[in-house]
Amino acid sequence: MLAVQNLSVNYRGIEALTGVSLTLQAGEWVGLIGPNGAGKSTLVKAILGLTPYRGKILLNGVSLRRQRRRVAYVPQRSQIDWDYPITAWNVVMMAQTMALGWGRSPDVKAKKIVSAALDRVEMLPFRNRPIGQLSGGQQQRIFLARALAQHPDLFLLDEPFSGIDKKTEAIMLSIFADLSGQGKTLLVCSHEWGEALNRYHRLLLLNRRVLANDTPQAVMTMDNIQQAYGENIQAAMHDQNVIPFAC
Ligand code: ADP
Ligand code: MG
């Protein structure tokens, strides 16, 4: 359903991505893994049209630019301004406001959708809290709820497992499995290699270009990790639950 063809992104002379091609099928849950600076966020931003690129990005054969609403984005936590005075409820409602158009007040249907999304991430009791007063994991769940409330076909999640608690991880993994079972497509960025990656259908190992694109077992080999991470191998093993390598 998503096709990225020969994508390159250049930041003032620095080639962040070179000739990246990939396809994602409906219902696929795919990990985009690679070290810091590999270009994972850049790839996601190019798909969203947030950064200029060369190449083609198609959703069901049509340029993605005209179908932006069908793609939901959960940004990297470090890219969000947590001092912005907004409640959890209103963050999730943004998904509906975008659909209804600004200035229109939410109807009963929109409120039901927001309520269901907050409930799914187990955050309904926290709906009136300012987002800045929630823990890292709770904040991540609120942004996932916003994506759910958008009812998209494709989810792009940038480092959703970074700085979260075990409960949030379990909730997110269960939601990802549900979504892919419903035919939704997920692209999940991660710079760490955790055990949870074994639950993904496919992993794309990225470092400026696609180094591997296969099942988790085939991608998580010592050779691949060395090729992608070089001497920063420790960074990949940050997670205590690591490392189910097929050496
Ligand atoms: P990752 O998400 O895998 O850590 P990024 O996509 O954030 O990698 O970054 C890829 C490369 O592009 C890095 O070298 C980074 O410094 C550079 N880069 C990212 N964003 C910008 C930008 N807005 N301007 C210039 N360089 C950037
Ligand atoms: Mg990143």
Side-chain angles (χ1 to χ4, degrees):
M1 56 95 71
L2 179 78
V4 172
Q5 296 166 353
N6 205 15
L7 181 89
S8 296
V9 175
N10 196 297
Y11 293 117
R12 290 194 213 100
I14 299 162
E15 193 93 327
L17 292 174
T18 306
V20 169
S21 295
L22 59 100
T23 54
L24 302 180
Q25 306 304 326
E28 254 197 320
W29 173 7
V30 176
L32 183 63
I33 59 173
N36 280 322
K40 303 179 297 296
S41 298
T42 298
L43 177 55
V44 165
K45 286 180 186 162
I47 294 172
L48 291 161
L50 299 176
T51 195
Y53 60 86
R54 278 176 290 127
K56 268 193 188 161
I57 302 174
L58 304 172
L59 193 65
N60 297 322
V62 181
S63 170
L64 208 149
R65 280 179 218 281
R66 282 176 275 151
Q67 321 177 63
R68 182 53 192 86
R69 288 279 319 145
R70 299 177 67 184
V71 184
Y73 174 43
V74 176
Q76 209 166 328
R77 273 175 38 76
S78 58
Q79 296 191 350
I80 296 167
D81 175 8
W82 296 108
D83 293 329
Y84 192 79
I86 185 167
T87 61
W89 175 272
N90 284 333
V91 170
V92 182
M93 184 55 88
M94 283 163 74
Q96 285 297 309
T97 321
M98 285 187 277
L100 292 166
W102 294 102
R104 286 197 39 201
S105 43
D107 54 16
V108 176
K109 187 172 160 235
K111 287 178 187 165
K112 270 196 183 153
I113 291 170
V114 170
S115 191
L118 279 165
D119 193 36
R120 182 65 186 90
V121 299
E122 298 184 27
M123 285 300 291
L124 199 51
F126 296 86
R127 61 189 172 278
N128 295 323
R129 289 275 187 93
I131 188 87
Q133 286 178 21
L134 299 173
S135 75
Q138 291 171 330
Q139 290 171 339
Q140 195 69 61
R141 278 188 266 159
I142 295 299
F143 276 81
L144 177 56
R146 184 181 71 164
L148 293 173
Q150 195 183 321
H151 292 162
D153 298 326
L154 172 65
F155 288 79
L156 302 175
L157 301 110
D158 202 349
E159 307 273 358
F161 296 105
S162 217
I164 59 161
D165 51 285
K166 285 282 162 205
K167 180 181 175 184
T168 298
E169 182 181 339
I171 291 171
M172 291 202 307
L173 287 170
S174 128
I175 291 174
F176 294 173
D178 281 359
L179 288 170
S180 87
Q182 293 159 16
K184 307 288 186 182
T185 307
L186 296 141
L187 185 65
V188 184
C189 299
S190 169
H191 71 276
E192 284 174 13
W193 290 35
E195 207 179 331
L197 292 179
N198 282 313
R199 298 185 54 177
Y200 291 40
H201 299 147
R202 187 154 60 94
L203 297 180
L204 287 159
L205 178 61
L206 189 78
N207 200 353
R208 233 162 48 86
R209 55 187 79 236
V210 178
L211 300 177
N213 176 1
D214 212 326
T215 60
Q217 291 73 18
V219 171
M220 293 202 285
T221 64
M222 240 342 162
D223 273 357
N224 278 339
I225 197 174
Q226 256 156 2
Q227 197 188 349
Y229 289 77
E231 64 246 33
N232 291 324
I233 226 159
Q234 286 306 324
M237 303 185 183
H238 214 61
D239 185 334
Q240 297 301 311
N241 299 321
V242 164
I243 283 262
F245 290 122
C247 291

